Amino acid sequence: MKSFRKLSFCLAVSSAAAAGIILPLDTSPILAEEQTTQQTPAVNSTQAHTTHTWGNPSWTWSEDHTSATVTLTCQQGGETKTVNATVTKTILKPATCAQEGKVRYFAKAVTDNGTFVDWKTDTLPKTAHHYGNPQWTWNGLASAKVTLTCSVCGHTETFDATMSTRVLKPAMCTQQGKGTRYARYDYNGSTWVDYQTFQTPTEEHDYENPVWNWNEDHTAATVTVTCAVCGEEKTFDATVTNSVTDPTCTENGTKVATASATIPANVSIDVATYPENTTVPTQTKTITDTYSEEIPATGHEWGDAQWTWNDDNTKATVTLTCANCGETKTLEAEITKEVLSEPTDKEDGAALYIAAVQDEDGTVWYSWKLMSVPKTGKAEVKKDGAGTKKDAAVKTVKATVIKKETIKSPETGTEEHTGFYAMTAALSAALFAVFKRKKRNA
């Protein structure tokens, strides 16, 4: 009966509103079932001496249909007034997540000689799903998705979760890192959470303070390093390469041995970001050590003595050439004259000239000339040569006498070296004997 009465009333009101009919004031019991918000009418009219008969309503609604006004015109004098209506909202069909709903807004304006009504019907949008029954899918630790099912309509949908990480224990070279990975999804005031606990690998040691150990000839080496975190020591073999700079006669050379070892490098593992990329790269670093040794200069290898005498045999020089580098030097010799025989009326005399010089390394270089001393005329060379104390033949050799002592000429009147003169006397006697034998043979 209530539905029939409301329908009858609505039809009546509709017909009345269409015809501009003013409803009696006792219609309020019929509308008692509606939810109402009473608004105080605002009357805008020109007062007259007679009672107005209001009609010809013109309605104005707000955009959301929650308020309305009606403008009325007096049927006698044409005067107008605007009245605020009371709007009642009635849900005709509730909206769900599966279907739209309907709502009616009913406006009623009461005047001193009647009631005016109007209404609007709107569509209500679907409501949000009532999701539940979460089903989680993880992509390793990097990401996760949740599938939710609506308890009203059975609709399912999958959503990407928001990821976060809580660090439980840091990673070190002595322990694995540990953390909890959380997946969270928020929807329409509800929150769903899932999580996984994980462990990271241990970090590589942070090796430092290398201590190198070379073998005796520096052709092999090892290195011992110490972890800066836990103090662990470890020894690694090194690769050794050698380079040599050869010495020269005057410059030292060098021998350089370089040892190179490749050792693990520390890679820090951040537990907070580890789930985003669980691949921990393996890195290495190279450490080196160098051993250098000086090779002494070889010194000159003097030889190829070239003697030069002046005409009267009072001066002589020797030019020496290094067999290694070709450098030359010229030394001035000390001259010793030994008269072997004085000239007579019947035969020429003989004199021996010996030039000798001691090198800075103690080596003595010498040259000699056996000269005839005629009764008259110029002296002639009967025999000459060069050699050392050990070799009296006609060739250049080296003879080491008392080293680093200067041999001086007897003609200078300075000190004389007995060793040198012993050599000279022996050489003189030998040459004189040869000289006499050849004369006899002649």
Side-chain angles (χ1 to χ4, degrees):
M1 288 299 294
K2 289 183 178 181
S3 298
F4 178 76
R5 289 183 60 193
K6 289 177 68 175
L7 180 58
S8 300
F9 171 75
C10 290
L11 293 174
V13 170
S14 178
S15 301
I21 299 174
I22 303 173
L23 297 179
L25 296 177
D26 60 354
T27 59
S28 57
I30 300 175
L31 302 175
E33 297 177 6
E34 306 289 349
Q35 300 176 4
T36 61
T37 302
Q38 185 65 43
Q39 300 183 16
T40 304
V43 179
N44 179 18
S45 63
T46 303
Q47 300 294 326
H49 297 291
T50 60
T51 300
H52 293 287
T53 301
W54 300 108
N56 193 24
S58 176
W59 289 90
T60 302
W61 288 83
S62 65
E63 187 175 355
D64 61 358
H65 298 158
T66 58
S67 63
T69 60
V70 60
T71 299
L72 304 174
T73 303
C74 180
Q75 295 182 359
Q76 285 80 17
E79 296 180 9
T80 62
K81 70 174 181 177
T82 300
V83 179
N84 288 332
T86 300
V87 178
T88 302
K89 177 182 177 181
T90 302
I91 301 298
L92 303 179
K93 183 173 70 174
T96 67
C97 58
Q99 64 178 6
E100 296 177 336
K102 288 189 178 297
V103 59
R104 186 185 67 194
Y105 296 93
F106 188 83
K108 180 174 69 174
V110 180
T111 65
D112 50 1
N113 64 342
T115 298
F116 297 88
V117 297
D118 195 18
W119 62 87
K120 296 288 185 182
T121 301
D122 288 342
T123 299
L124 295 174
K126 293 179 180 180
T127 62
H129 290 290
H130 296 273
Y131 280 132
N133 189 27
Q135 301 296 317
W136 291 91
T137 302
W138 286 77
N139 177 26
L141 294 172
S143 62
K145 295 178 181 292
V146 61
T147 300
L148 302 175
T149 302
C150 179
S151 60
V152 175
C153 66
H155 173 76
T156 62
E157 192 167 354
T158 301
F159 304 93
D160 290 325
T162 300
M163 310 302 293
S164 62
T165 303
R166 179 186 177 189
V167 178
L168 302 179
K169 187 169 61 176
M172 300 173 61
C173 58
T174 56
Q175 68 179 19
Q176 293 178 292
K178 187 175 182 180
T180 302
R181 186 67 163 167
Y182 291 96
R184 172 175 175 159
Y185 182 69
D186 296 295
Y187 177 84
N188 198 31
S190 297
T191 299
W192 293 270
V193 176
D194 195 23
Y195 65 92
Q196 291 188 22
T197 300
F198 64 91
Q199 286 186 322
T200 72
T202 56
E203 291 184 350
E204 185 55 72
H205 293 283
D206 188 9
Y207 288 123
E208 58 181 27
N209 299 325
V211 177
W212 292 89
N213 181 31
W214 290 83
N215 67 348
E216 186 173 354
D217 61 357
H218 298 95
T219 58
T222 61
V223 61
T224 300
V225 289
T226 304
C227 178
V229 177
C230 67
E232 177 186 278
E233 291 186 353
K234 192 169 183 179
T235 300
F236 298 88
D237 291 329
T239 300
V240 177
T241 58
N242 290 280
S243 62
V244 176
T245 301
D246 293 328
T248 65
C249 297
T250 57
E251 299 291 335
N252 292 334
T254 56
K255 175 184 178 181
V256 179
T258 301
S260 175
T262 300
I263 66 174
N266 174 261
V267 178
S268 179
I269 299 176
D270 185 359
V271 178
T273 59
Y274 175 78
E276 299 171 13
N277 182 8
T278 56
T279 301
V280 179
T282 299
Q283 295 185 4
T284 59
K285 61 182 179 181
T286 301
I287 55 177
T288 60
D289 190 36
T290 301
Y291 168 82
S292 62
E293 177 183 335
E294 190 172 73
I295 304 174
T298 60
H300 292 293
E301 189 71 25
W302 297 114
D304 189 25
Q306 301 296 319
W307 286 91
T308 302
W309 291 76
N310 67 351
D311 292 338
D312 59 1
N313 299 323
T314 59
K315 289 184 179 181
T317 59
V318 60
T319 299
L320 305 175
T321 302
C322 178
N324 296 326
C325 66
E327 184 177 334
T328 62
K329 69 177 180 178
T330 300
L331 304 175
E332 186 174 354
E334 302 290 341
I335 307 299
T336 300
K337 177 182 178 182
E338 187 74 22
V339 177
L340 301 180
S341 64
E342 297 289 347
T344 65
D345 294 338
K346 296 181 179 181
E347 61 182 10
D348 293 338
L352 177 66
Y353 293 87
I354 299 175
V357 61
Q358 188 174 24
D359 205 347
E360 58 187 10
D361 63 354
T363 302
V364 174
W365 299 89
Y366 71 88
S367 177
W368 55 270
K369 286 186 177 183
L370 180 60
M371 305 292 295
S372 66
V373 182
K375 291 179 293 184
T376 60
K378 186 177 179 181
E380 296 179 357
V381 178
K382 293 296 184 181
K383 199 172 186 63
D384 62 5
T388 66
K389 179 182 178 182
K390 292 181 180 180
D391 187 0
V394 187
K395 63 180 180 179
T396 301
V397 295
K398 290 182 181 179
T400 301
V401 296
I402 300 175
K403 294 185 177 180
K404 300 182 180 177
E405 292 186 23
T406 303
I407 300 173
K408 300 181 181 294
S409 170
E411 297 178 354
T412 63
T414 58
E415 289 186 9
E416 301 167 5
H417 196 284
T418 57
F420 172 74
Y421 285 106
M423 179 193 77
T424 303
L427 182 61
S428 298
L431 293 175
F432 183 70
V434 173
F435 177 71
K436 287 294 187 181
R437 185 167 57 252
K438 288 191 176 185
K439 284 188 68 176
R440 285 196 301 269
N441 293 335

